[in-house]
Amino acid sequence: TKPNDGFFNKDRMQIRNRGISLTHVQNFGSLFWRNTFSISKYDNSFHTLSDETLNNYRQLEEVKTESSIKDATLQSRVEINRGVSLVKAGVELSRYVFRPIMTSSHRDHESTDVSCDTIQGYTEAIKSTEASIYANDELELTDMLSADVGVRFSLYSCDNTRYYRVEPRFSMRYLICDNLSAKVNYSTMNQFNHVLVNVVQGFEKEIWLAATE
């Protein structure tokens, strides 16, 4: 081993989650109106650096991996209390910007006189829009029997892909006694944004993806 030989290695994982929201609420007797606008960004990155000198030749390897999702959401909801029922209705509009994963690497090997830079993954952002409208009614049918009936219409758009979905929801509860009840329910839901968890050198990385097919 030469006097100047040595080895240095550094791994760093960074997760950041930022957001802000504005909410406006008004009451008009039995009518409740709520409006919310929110912006958030989540990103994570992993950086590894390896610097080795052997026989006075330096070998440097550096890899950076990044993934992020940004969204802006507008929600408007009304509630009407009619005594025996509580009606809820509203609209939602969300805009997403994904950067699922991008890996950039740099390698510099003096012994072989090789130096290269590589970029893999998504170099451009993926953008999608989700809109929905819904209505729901919580009914007190009798002192013992209550029901919850609703429906949601969703539209999702990403690139040239479009999804239209109807999501019905129904539940019913029967109060047998003060501390015992029976309940049945049915609902259909759709999820258009997905998260994958990848383990890199012991660190969990979340990768967000949009439904494109």
Side-chain angles (χ1 to χ4, degrees), residues 31 38 41 44 46-47 78 99 114 117 132 153 155 197:
L31 188 146
S38 61
K41 181 180 182 181
N44 60 62
F46 181 76
H47 179 206
V78 295
R99 289 192 179 274
V114 172
D117 293 284
S132 62
F153 301 94
L155 165 65
V197 179

Side-chain angles (χ1 to χ4, degrees), residues 9-38:
N9 184 78
K10 181 179 72 172
D11 296 328
R12 185 181 67 179
M13 178 75 175
Q14 186 177 40
I15 298 175
R16 296 183 297 177
N17 192 5
R18 292 94 71 198
I20 185 173
S21 65
L22 301 173
T23 300
H24 175 259
V25 177
Q26 275 190 302
N27 284 306
F28 303 95
S30 60
L31 188 146
F32 173 84
W33 186 22
R34 180 188 181 96
N35 299 292
T36 302
F37 176 72
S38 61

Side-chain angles (χ1 to χ4, degrees), residues 139-190:
L139 298 162
E140 293 290 338
L141 302 175
T142 67
D143 293 339
M144 311 289 288
L145 185 64
S146 62
D148 193 338
V149 182
V151 64
R152 183 186 185 97
F153 301 94
S154 298
L155 165 65
Y156 187 83
S157 173
C158 181
D159 295 333
N160 296 322
T161 303
R162 302 285 189 277
Y163 291 105
Y164 305 90
R165 295 291 186 267
V166 179
E167 303 172 353
R169 302 171 187 188
F170 170 79
S171 67
M172 182 171 287
R173 183 176 70 95
Y174 182 76
L175 186 63
I176 300 173
C177 58
D178 290 342
N179 55 3
L180 181 63
S181 64
K183 185 176 182 180
V184 295
N185 65 77
Y186 170 83
S187 65
T188 300
M189 300 179 65
N190 294 274

